[in-house]
Amino acid sequence: MDIARVPFRLAPVCVALAAFSCAYIPITPSESYLATVLYQQRSFAGTSLSNETVLILPVLTKTGPDSMPPLSPLELGELLQGKRGDVQPVPPEEFEGHCKAAYGQGVLNRFYKLLYSSNVVAIQNSDSVWKQMKTGYCSVTRITRGLRIRGFEGSLKRRMVLETELWSVDSAEAVWRVQVECTARGDKPSDAELVRRSLQKAFDKIPVFAPENNERNW
């Protein structure tokens, strides 16, 4: 047996197996979103939001409200209305103006910090602020975690956790809460677009409006 020739017989087989295995490696998507309903009040249903007004507060971060144009309350309101066309989004300018005129900028800043930290007891005790809203519901969105990982050769991976809630203004209590976990590889889309898409995934979890069926069997 010519031992020197054995490696040359095996080489083509190894190459073929390598090509076969590479062909079946799944492609990892550049973005992923996982939306989970964390809480929904038993009495909160699709009909609860029908023809209601919803105050859209700015996206809250650890450093305060986000002011980037792609994440403006107007844009966020359009996302909500895209899911529930029977809802009327209300921008926060009038609410913020009345609150600052009556109690000062410091009170509004403190209220936003309480919303970000999810200090439920303190939020519910902020009666004077809630009275300035003049809407049926209030939409609160916070970015609870954000991480950027720069790997070898400049590769970038981003991770983010976003929570969005609907609060009943009359009772000052949360009636619905969703968490979205997002991951993305690369520089695109932008951070703002990732937040926007995450919020859209969250709004997809809002109960849909289904008219009651009053028909009876004869």
Side-chain angles (χ1 to χ4, degrees), residues 47-78:
T47 53
S48 303
L49 286 175
S50 184
N51 299 317
E52 280 286 358
T53 54
V54 180
L55 175 64
I56 308 295
L57 296 183
V59 175
L60 302 177
T61 69
K62 187 179 296 185
T63 58
D66 193 288
S67 58
M68 288 188 292
L71 298 178
S72 69
L74 178 62
E75 294 285 338
L76 304 186
E78 289 179 355

Side-chain angles (χ1 to χ4, degrees), residues 46 49 76-87 89 166 176 199-209:
L49 286 175
L76 304 186
E78 289 179 355
L79 290 179
L80 174 60
Q81 205 165 36
K83 177 64 178 180
R84 288 292 302 261
D86 56 333
V87 166
L166 288 175
W176 177 85
L199 188 55
Q200 189 169 34
K201 296 294 183 181
F203 285 157
D204 284 343
K205 297 290 186 178
I206 289 180
V208 297
F209 172 68

